[in-house]
Structure formats: structure tokens, C-alpha cells
Amino acid sequence: MSSRSVRKLEVVSPVPADIDIANSVEPFHISEIAKDLNLSSNHYDLYGKYKAKVLLSVLDELQGSEDGYYVVVGGITPTPLGEGKSTTTVGLCQALGAFLDKKVVTCLRQPSQGPTFGIKGGAAGGGYSQVIPMDEFNLHLTGDIHAITAANNLLAAAIDTRIFHESSQSDKALFNRLCPPNKDGKRKFSDIMFRRLKKLGISKTHPEDLTPEEVKKFSRLDIDPNSITWRRVMDVNDRFLRKITVGQGPEEKGMVRETGFDISVASEIMAVLALTTSLADMRERLGKMVIGNSKAGDPITADDLGVGGALTVLMKDAINPTLMQTLEGTPVLVHAGPFANIAHGNSSIVADKIALKLVGPGGFVVTEAGFGADIGTEKFMNIKCRYSGLIPQCAIIVATIRALKMHGGGPEVVAGKPLDHAYVNENVSLVEAGCVNLARHIANTKAYGVNVVVAVNKFSTDTEAEMNAVRNAALAAGAFDAVICTHHAHGGKGAGTLVAVQRACENVTQPLRFLYPLDISIKEKIEAIARSYGASGVEYTEQAEKQIEMCSRQGFSGLPICMAKTQYSFSHIASEKGAPSGFILPIRDVRASIGAGFIYPLVGTMSTMPGLPTRPCFYEIDLDTTTGKVIGLS
């Protein structure tokens, strides 16, 4: 790395608040970070001084060059407080770039404003391992989530409008309005209409040539209102919008329908953004999104509604990842932030692909997978790597003494409440008992053919004996190495022992192995994932059986599976800690994100619109009107 973009941190103890650390550092101009990656000014668009959108044309230019090492960061089953995956991801990259002089790029998800103002706070890392400017990272960034919100809600409006117009018009009147005559009195199909005609098996190119039966098939989508799965979204935690009724205006009399809002990052369009590989691929995925079924049981897509092209136009800038920097001046690509419950919880394929080309052979790309490794890393391997064709060499599992004590039988950990004395005093036997959780995550992750490095995120109350217990258990479970990290308190210097990651990458001996092939049945794929959790079997509700049958009949059974399950246990019961086994995993419902490209079974009740607590984070957030700096973000 160029010495110009490496910043020496002045570390203070005790560690100040995250926002105070972030505000104490003047970021480099983003053009300097870009220069270190050999990006010229025509490779990116500036968004202010400290952010830039890296253009996809970089991929075309570097198509023939070799990739760097690919590292994914997952974690053990977390407590509600989180175990520091983002902080570890950033700290490792600061260590590799600022201390070991390696070319490195961090790839992170973009955080939602919901948790930023709600209960969890921001997601830029923490302490001396952060992405800066931290306030910009956690707020609007470059507008990608707003673009997703606009596109999602345009599609929602198109659905209700189409039902409204079809309800009051004859087939002929509907067709005449869909294909109006031009100035010369001639009708023509718009380009997007040919997609629907092809789907219907109609090869005619002139509206006048359609028979009355073909006119009806083409014009009338006949959407079943009870089958609509597409909801409106906004990037705010607003529990009162979870269930609403629409169509109550006087002009929409008789069109009342129950629906609701999700948070924007739960939109399928976010999952599409994360899994797409090019602009053309994104256009196809957006058009293929299924919003519900016709009354005859056929899937209705965004392209059937004629809106796939417009969605792509709204998303054309969002497909470019955002370049930022860490506290120590190493580069970061921030892109996409799909929900880790109902989607796959990983940042984008295009960001990872660009980063791997930019660092080149011997360089490192470190990307984070949301939630515990049973959810985030599993989906990274079986969904993201399938679509990207990329092969990771190393997987990191982040662990804390706090979480391991909880899995060993320690008292409940509750956000906002002081920790029980068991968590702040030495208790080696509790740690050793909890390592069963770590051991299962190691075994599951090793099965993909990658080397596993355990990163123990050290807190000030953790003792050497407790650390040694984790290290011994990790190595006994088959980890390549287990290292103690103090990057929260010391930045990259505190993650220096993660040089083990370089050795792990250099010593991969097996090819990438998926947990299941795509050509088996939906149930067989679900059951393969359930076994990795420790389940002895799976039971399906009548609704789940019906949906599996419909997905199979509609031709979607070849897609990968994206389980929607609690992150707080291997099982479906959040309170079951450690490594439960022998349980029956219940599948409540099965839904499909056809544009994104996965089937998602619901193991429990998943909230797609979080609520605000009694005392949200926004109580602390304000603006210093003298300096213009944000204060109170966490």
C-alpha cells in the first residue's frame, strides 16, 4: 500500500465512544484511496470528498487478471449484544493493509437506518476498527437504499393499479389502453410487452394480429389479491405499518386489501442487488421477480406488469459499490445489505468481484456474512458462491468469552441490562462447556473445504485461562488456528495475530464443496441444512406443503434454499443454547424470491418490520451546529 494512505492511530485508553473516535480522524480524500487501488478518475464517480461509486466497467477492464485471496467472516451463535464480526472484519483489514503492507479491500453490507435509530445502532465496526466517515456510512451513504425503496414501491403501486383497471374494463378496452394507436393510427407493442408475449407462447409482433382469446391472455393478468406477496417498504422501524389496509379512497370503492410495510432492506430488490453479477443480469432478475399468482395459479412477474425496465432505471447507479476507508486508511467497498433472516445477509457479489481483481494475486478481500455461521456463512457458501463462481480460501469464526459462557449455561444476556457477574469474572468451566457451539460451527464450516481461523474478540474482563480454553477447544475441533484479537482497543495492531489468515489461505488443499446439489427436491435441500443445525428431522405445516408443491409445479425447485430462522440458536428456539441436537425443525411456510434466486422456508415467525424500543438510539443522536458534526451515533 502507498504510505500516503496509511494513517497511524493515536490509541487512547479507555476506548472512547465510536463516534468520538471517528470524528477525531480526518479521512483521506477518497481519490487517494482509489489511487492506492490503481483506480483512475474514469473508474469512479465522486460522492463528496470521502465516498465514490466504483463503476462496473472496472470489471470489464480487469477481466483477464488474477484474483486475490477471498476470506469470509462469520461468527458463533451470538448474544443479543453481537460478538463483533464487523469490528473483526475491519480490524483484520487494518492489520493486513496498514501493518503487513498487503493489498486488501474490506467488503461490508450497507446498514439500514432502522437499527441506526432503533435499538442496535450503526454497523461501521467499533472502537479503533471502524469505517469512516462513520456518520455517512450509517445514514444515507450514496442513496442505494432509497433507490431500492423507490423501485419497490413503484412495483407495489403497479400491482394495485393493474387490479383496479382490470376490474372495470372489458378485454378489448384494456387492450386498447395498453396498446394505444399512435399518430398514424397504428398500434405497437412496447419492447417489454414482447417478454409477456413470449411467456404466453404468442409469436405475433403486431397488436392487430392477436385473436380475441390472445388479447384476453395478454391483457388480463387476473391477479389473485390473496396471493400477493409484494409489500411496500420504508427504511424506518415503524411497527404500526406492519399491517395496513389499502384502497380505502372513494374512487377505489370495493378494492380494499390488507397488506403491510417491510423495512427497505427486506425488499427482494435488495437481495437482487446483492446477488446480481452485471447490469444485464440485474435487469433479468428484476423482471423475473414474482409478486403473486393469477387466479389460475400462474406466477405473475414484474415484467408481466411492464415495470422491469423502469425498476432497472431506478437501480442503475445503485449497482455500483461505494468506496470508503477504514480508520487506518485501508480501502472499503460498501454494497447492499439484505436481511439476514429472510434473505442471505451478505454484501454484494459485484463488490467482491471488483475487490478481488483490484487486490490481485497475494492480496486479500475480506467480506462479512451476517449472523452466526449457521445462517450467514451457510448462505454465503450455498447461495452467494454458487451465483458468483468465487471460491473462498479461509473462513473466520468470531467468538467472544461472553457468548461462549452463555452457551455453556450462563444466565440470559439481555440488551440494555447490565451483564451478570458470571460474564465479567473468570469461569473457565463455563467457557469450556460453551465451546460445543464453537466446535459445531468449525465442523460445519470446514465441510465446505475452507480453512477455519477462530478470532477471539477480547474484552477487558476476559482472562488468559479463559482464552487458552477457547484456543485449545478450537484446535481440537479442527480449526487451522485460533488467535486472540484486541482490534477494538488497538486497531490493526490488535489484529496482527490474524496473520494466521494468510497462512490459512496459502494452505488450502480441498476444492469448495456445497452442502447440497441443486437438482434434488426442495425438501431434500431443506433437510440437508436442518441436519447441519443438529436436527434429526423436519416437519412441514399444511401451508408449507402447499407452497412447496406450488414452487415445484411452477418450475422453481432447482433454486438454492435460504432458511429464515432465529440467529440466537442452532435450533428454531432462541433460548436453546450450546449445540442442541435431535430436535425436529418445523417449517411454517415456504416462500420464493425468484428474481433474487432462492426459496426461503420460514422456520419461525420472522418480523420484516422491526419496532422501536421505549428508548431508541435517536435520543442520543444530534448535530453539533457549530462544527456541523454528528454526535451520539453508536
Side-chain angles (χ1 to χ4, degrees):
M1 303 287 290
S2 159
S3 59
R4 183 172 53 181
S5 66
V6 172
R7 182 186 296 103
K8 190 167 168 31
L9 288 177
E10 299 294 330
V11 172
V12 176
S13 182
V15 179
D18 290 351
I19 188 70
D20 294 336
I21 294 173
N23 284 341
S24 71
V25 171
E26 179 64 31
F28 295 113
H29 194 284
I30 201 65
S31 60
E32 293 187 41
I33 304 297
K35 190 177 175 186
D36 285 339
L37 290 170
N38 297 319
L39 290 169
S40 64
S41 58
N42 63 334
H43 289 140
Y44 58 87
D45 290 335
L46 289 171
Y47 278 64
K49 291 188 286 186
Y50 308 127
K51 305 187 297 291
K53 281 278 199 182
V54 180
L55 306 177
L56 293 196
S57 55
V58 172
L59 265 182
D60 298 328
E61 284 188 33
L62 297 175
Q63 200 171 19
S65 58
E66 285 186 60
D67 290 349
Y69 291 123
Y70 194 29
V71 179
V72 60
V73 179
I76 62 169
T77 305
T79 68
L81 307 179
E83 311 318 309
K85 282 196 311 297
S86 299
T87 308
T88 302
T89 303
V90 175
L92 167 60
C93 291
Q94 290 181 178
L96 289 167
F99 284 86
L100 301 178
D101 203 33
K102 300 289 181 187
K103 274 216 159 185
V104 63
V105 175
T106 315
C107 289
L108 291 176
R109 290 178 292 168
Q110 180 184 348
S112 163
Q113 287 179 179
T116 297
F117 293 111
I119 196 167
K120 194 174 171 214
Y128 287 101
S129 295
Q130 290 189 61
V131 180
I132 56 172
M134 183 258 234
D135 56 336
E136 295 181 28
F137 178 88
N138 283 313
L139 298 173
H140 305 286
L141 200 62
T142 47
D144 293 357
I145 293 179
H146 300 317
I148 287 162
T149 304
N152 184 101
N153 293 343
L154 175 63
L155 180 50
I159 295 164
D160 287 313
T161 297
R162 186 58 174 262
I163 295 172
F164 171 75
H165 288 302
E166 284 191 23
S167 70
S168 59
Q169 297 179 52
S170 67
D171 298 341
K172 187 177 178 184
L174 198 57
F175 185 63
N176 288 344
R177 286 184 171 90
L178 287 169
C179 302
N182 60 20
K183 285 184 289 186
D184 303 326
K186 293 188 175 176
R187 301 177 185 279
K188 65 172 219 169
F189 293 120
S190 63
D191 286 346
I192 200 168
M193 290 176 173
F194 287 108
R195 292 172 180 251
R196 175 153 178 80
L197 289 164
K198 184 179 178 184
K199 176 180 173 179
L200 295 171
I202 299 171
S203 57
K204 296 169 182 175
T205 55
H206 298 291
E208 289 85 357
D209 296 339
L210 266 62
T211 65
E213 183 57 34
E214 288 169 338
V215 164
K216 180 174 184 170
K217 279 172 70 180
F218 169 77
S219 305
R220 200 163 288 284
L221 301 183
D222 202 24
I223 298 168
D224 177 1
N226 296 319
S227 75
I228 296 170
T229 53
W230 199 265
R231 289 153 59 94
R232 287 158 175 85
V233 300
M234 64 190 304
D235 197 29
V236 174
N237 288 359
D238 193 342
R239 66 175 74 241
F240 280 83
L241 292 178
R242 287 171 181 166
K243 192 172 277 191
I244 63 167
T245 54
V246 293
Q248 299 201 60
E251 290 183 18
E252 291 77 46
K253 204 169 181 183
M255 305 292 292
V256 172
R257 179 171 74 83
E258 193 176 89
T259 179
F261 274 77
D262 296 330
I263 197 158
S264 295
V265 292
S267 170
E268 184 178 348
I269 297 176
M270 175 61 92
V272 166
L273 178 66
L275 288 171
T276 195
T277 53
S278 67
L279 198 56
D281 179 61
M282 183 171 77
R283 169 64 188 90
E284 293 307 309
R285 287 174 180 269
L286 291 172
K288 285 195 298 188
M289 293 187 304
V290 172
I291 58 87
N293 299 320
S294 70
K295 287 170 183 167
D298 298 319
I300 303 296
T301 67
D303 273 346
D304 287 328
L305 285 154
V307 75
L311 301 182
T312 311
V313 169
L314 285 169
M315 294 292 294
K316 71 179 177 61
D317 296 320
I319 197 173
N320 299 314
T322 301
L323 181 64
M324 295 186 77
Q325 63 192 283
T326 67
L327 282 168
E328 296 185 59
T330 60
V332 180
L333 284 177
V334 185
H335 203 212
F339 234 44
N341 285 113
I342 61 162
H344 64 295
N346 281 254
S347 63
S348 79
I349 285 173
V350 292
D352 290 0
K353 284 194 160 191
I354 289 170
L356 285 163
K357 295 297 183 194
L358 291 175
V359 299
F364 293 83
V365 171
V366 184
T367 189
E368 180 197 347
F371 288 169
D374 56 317
I375 301 179
T377 305
E378 184 270 309
K379 293 174 182 179
F380 171 86
M381 300 291 185
N382 290 307
I383 302 174
K384 187 176 178 182
C385 288
R386 275 192 210 270
Y387 284 123
S388 70
L390 299 173
I391 298 173
Q393 288 79 37
C394 173
I396 295 171
I397 297 177
V398 178
T400 58
I401 298 297
R402 175 178 69 197
L404 290 169
K405 285 180 175 178
M406 179 190 72
H407 288 296
E412 191 180 2
V413 175
V414 181
K417 287 189 179 178
L419 283 169
D420 187 272
H421 69 90
Y423 295 107
V424 292
N425 292 289
E426 183 173 282
N427 190 327
V428 175
S429 61
L430 210 55
V431 174
E432 287 174 338
C435 281
V436 292
N437 184 271
L438 174 62
R440 183 177 290 172
H441 282 298
I442 292 169
N444 282 355
T445 307
K446 270 190 74 180
Y448 295 109
V450 298
N451 283 329
V452 175
V453 173
V454 173
V456 186
N457 191 8
K458 186 180 188 303
F459 289 66
S460 58
T461 52
D462 300 336
T463 69
E464 197 169 334
E466 289 172 332
M467 294 287 172
N468 286 337
V470 180
R471 181 172 164 76
N472 292 338
L475 294 175
F480 183 86
D481 206 345
V483 295
I484 312 304
C485 301
T486 60
H487 40 264
H488 183 273
H490 303 121
K493 188 178 178 184
T497 47
L498 278 175
V499 293
V501 170
Q502 182 173 349
R503 289 189 293 108
C505 287
E506 290 168 349
N507 287 280
V508 173
T509 57
Q510 303 173 64
L512 179 63
R513 295 192 299 267
F514 296 120
L515 187 57
Y516 53 82
L518 290 180
D519 58 1
I520 58 175
S521 71
I522 291 173
K523 281 190 174 182
E524 286 172 309
K525 285 182 267 199
I526 291 171
E527 285 150 21
I529 298 170
R531 283 193 296 275
S532 77
Y533 299 154
S536 58
V538 178
E539 65 179 18
Y540 303 88
T541 63
E542 191 180 328
Q543 170 69 8
E545 295 274 11
K546 192 174 98 179
Q547 291 301 111
I548 289 170
E549 189 276 324
M550 180 178 283
C551 284
S552 302
R553 180 170 52 78
Q554 292 178 341
F556 302 138
S557 61
L559 293 173
I561 300 297
C562 188
M563 296 287 263
K565 176 184 81 74
T566 178
Q567 70 269 38
Y568 294 121
S569 172
F570 271 112
S571 80
H572 55 290
I573 301 168
S575 59
E576 288 194 355
K577 305 304 179 188
S581 60
F583 56 91
I584 302 296
L585 193 75
I587 303 297
R588 182 173 64 84
D589 199 358
V590 175
R591 297 178 190 167
S593 290
I594 303 305
F598 54 73
I599 305 286
Y600 63 101
L602 297 171
V603 177
T605 304
M606 293 294 144
S607 174
T608 50
M609 172 55 87
L612 290 171
T614 307
R615 193 184 188 285
C617 293
F618 62 60
Y619 272 87
E620 305 298 329
I621 298 168
D622 213 325
L623 196 70
D624 183 327
T625 54
T626 306
T627 63
K629 287 194 170 181
V630 174
I631 52 177
L633 268 183
S634 61

